[in-house]
Amino acid sequence: MPRVFQRDPSLASLSDDLRAAGREPRTDVLQYRVVFADSGLAGDMHCQEGKEIVALERLRWAEGNRMGIMRNWIPADLAPSLTAISSGGLYDFFKSHGIVLRGGVQRISARSATPTEAELLHVASGAPLLRVRRSAYDESGRVVDLADHLYDAEQYDLTLPLNFPA
């Protein structure tokens, strides 16, 4: 049984968080393509319809265990090449190319694995998945990453700090 990966909710690289926890990440790129933003994607990314967007789908591993399916949409002018994303994390790429992330909005929910997702993650069809959807913004407020990630719920744990008013 793979050990549970505990993560805080900061806007950080999964690769960095895994390494800090003593786990070695690996990425398999399942899909890399350029699409034109339709009205729905344009609305989510706050861009014009027809804008070129790189759509990524990756399988993330930790210590030889399939951990998550990561789908990301990135403006084509900011996106890593297929070679770059195959050898490192997306936020690592942003940092090394001067793209400064300043904030984002993240929504966390749960759902059941479809048969295709179950096969990719080596879990049972219908197994619980943790779904993390995020919009990350740069210094100018531009959406630089729209993410929809699915994690094996048995391997992933989020810790949320609570602050109480004085």
Side-chain angles (χ1 to χ4, degrees):
M1 177 84 172
R3 61 185 166 142
V4 173
F5 172 62
Q6 189 167 5
R7 188 174 190 197
D8 72 41
S10 64
L11 190 58
S13 163
L14 177 61
S15 297
D16 287 346
D17 285 349
L18 285 168
R19 285 187 195 103
R23 299 177 75 181
E24 190 55 37
R26 184 179 116 203
T27 301
D28 292 343
V29 178
L30 306 174
Q31 188 174 95
Y32 182 103
R33 62 192 173 104
V34 178
V35 300
F36 296 104
D38 60 17
S39 61
L41 185 55
D44 290 341
M45 295 198 70
H46 306 287
C47 68
Q48 295 202 353
E49 283 186 50
K51 180 168 181 63
E52 287 188 350
I53 304 292
V54 170
L56 297 174
E57 184 175 34
R58 298 170 290 156
L59 180 62
R60 296 302 302 264
W61 300 68
E63 297 175 329
N65 296 305
R66 298 167 186 234
M67 185 173 187
I69 301 166
M70 305 177 89
R71 296 178 182 106
N72 298 77
W73 295 265
I74 304 132
D77 61 315
L78 300 178
S81 67
L82 176 57
T83 302
I85 199 62
S86 296
S87 62
L90 178 59
Y91 286 10
D92 295 334
F93 172 84
F94 285 161
K95 185 177 181 179
S96 70
H97 286 77
I99 301 166
V100 178
L101 301 178
R102 285 292 181 220
V105 176
Q106 185 162 273
R107 182 175 177 198
I108 302 164
S109 59
R111 71 172 180 78
S112 300
T114 66
T116 301
E117 294 161 349
E119 184 178 341
L120 282 170
L121 291 172
H122 282 191
V123 297
S125 185
L129 299 178
L130 186 63
R131 183 179 188 189
V132 179
R133 291 182 285 172
R134 174 187 313 127
S135 296
Y137 304 90
D138 70 6
E139 295 173 302
S140 71
R142 178 182 183 190
V143 175
V144 297
D145 176 35
L146 181 66
D148 191 350
H149 298 174
L150 297 169
Y151 298 99
D152 175 1
E154 290 196 12
Q155 293 188 62
Y156 200 88
D157 186 49
L158 283 168
T159 301
L160 303 172
L162 298 175
N163 296 312
F164 294 96

